[in-house]
Amino acid sequence: MNIDVNGVNLFYEKSGSGSPIILLHGNSEDHSIFDVLVPQLSATHTVYAIDSRDHGKSDKVSTLEYHAMMEDTAEFIQKLDIQSPALFGFSDGGIIGILLAAKYPQMLSKLIIAGANTNPNGIKPLTLAAMKAVYFFTRSQQFKMMLTKPNIPNAELQKIETPTLVLAGSKDLIREQHTRMIAENIKNSTLKILDGEDHTSYVLHSKKLYGIINPFLTGK
């Protein structure tokens, strides 16, 4: 399905029934990374899996910016009249979730962020160097965005009132100290560092993710 929000046409898939949850993928990906998770969640939730602007089947744009992507998500929720959804955001999707929960503190019922960062220095140096090399050769605006943004101050994290689960792998490309800092600044948060997992291993096409997030979603 398609919907016009914030001046762009977003593609999304809707499935299941029950309490709503929105799934946001990471940089250079699309909603298909959740192909295993969606059927699992759909048994008890109405699931909205979105392609972010400039990704997947959504509109390409001339410039890419996290705040615009956040406003896309906010207008998506408002236009479809989705009441108090939970949101799971991976990597860039997690950044969007942070920005959304900080600006619209009553919009989400629960927030789960996985492998998110609040500034480029949260990325490990070797990974950052590799990303710079990719950008040098491709001039990809998606990589440019990751190299220059976001720049979310701790004061913004402290505005978040939504119950939040902060996830990262013990082998993540995000520095563990940075992930812990994020959790420490979100007052109603739970931190889980997943032993042996890297940035993507427990998220992309993974059978593991449902078991990690479902207890938080259900409170059981």
Side-chain angles (χ1 to χ4, degrees):
M1 289 184 277
N2 294 277
I3 184 171
D4 183 76
V5 296
N6 199 26
V8 297
N9 194 51
L10 293 189
F11 176 83
Y12 70 100
E13 289 190 348
K14 177 183 176 182
S15 57
S17 61
S19 59
I21 182 168
I22 292 166
L23 305 180
L24 299 178
H25 59 78
N27 195 290
S28 305
E29 300 162 351
D30 62 34
H31 74 281
S32 67
I33 68 166
F34 300 119
D35 57 349
V36 176
L37 179 64
V38 167
Q40 294 171 317
L41 284 174
S42 294
T44 51
H45 296 272
T46 303
V47 183
Y48 299 86
I50 303 172
D51 284 352
S52 296
R53 59 167 58 198
D54 211 60
H55 291 75
K57 298 178 182 178
S58 292
D59 280 354
K60 305 304 176 189
V61 294
S62 57
T63 56
L64 200 56
E65 211 281 327
Y66 288 117
H67 281 86
M69 297 163 85
M70 177 271 290
E71 295 293 0
D72 293 347
T73 308
E75 191 167 324
F76 179 90
I77 292 168
Q78 292 163 343
K79 274 200 166 183
L80 292 178
D81 195 26
I82 304 171
Q83 298 297 313
S84 300
L87 186 147
F88 172 83
F90 168 61
S91 198
D92 274 14
I95 294 169
I96 295 166
I98 287 170
L99 292 170
L100 184 71
K103 183 171 182 180
Y104 300 99
Q106 305 304 317
M107 182 169 281
L108 303 176
S109 59
K110 292 186 178 180
L111 173 65
I112 305 171
I113 57 174
N117 59 297
T118 58
N119 60 69
N121 290 330
I123 301 170
K124 290 178 178 176
L126 286 178
T127 302
L128 202 57
M131 290 165 58
K132 289 177 180 177
V134 171
Y135 176 67
F136 178 81
F137 288 107
T138 66
R139 288 298 187 257
S140 162
Q141 68 166 342
Q142 295 175 2
F143 273 76
K144 181 181 180 181
M145 182 174 68
M146 289 191 294
L147 290 170
T148 59
K149 299 168 183 173
N151 295 289
I152 304 171
N154 289 352
E156 286 297 295
L157 296 175
Q158 292 161 12
K159 292 179 182 177
I160 295 175
E161 300 174 5
T162 309
T164 303
L165 176 61
V166 180
L167 301 173
S170 64
K171 300 178 180 179
D172 212 297
L173 60 81
I174 304 298
R175 296 187 294 113
E176 184 171 323
Q177 181 182 3
H178 188 80
T179 301
R180 292 185 178 278
M181 178 275 296
I182 291 172
E184 287 167 3
N185 279 278
I186 299 175
K187 51 182 171 286
N188 193 8
S189 71
T190 301
L191 171 67
K192 285 191 177 181
I193 304 294
L194 303 169
D195 189 43
E197 304 291 348
D198 62 28
H199 189 60
T200 64
S201 59
Y202 64 101
V203 179
L204 272 61
H205 315 289
S206 176
K207 295 179 181 179
K208 302 174 184 177
L209 186 55
Y210 178 78
I212 296 168
I213 68 173
N214 191 56
F216 179 75
L217 291 171
T218 61
K220 298 178 181 178

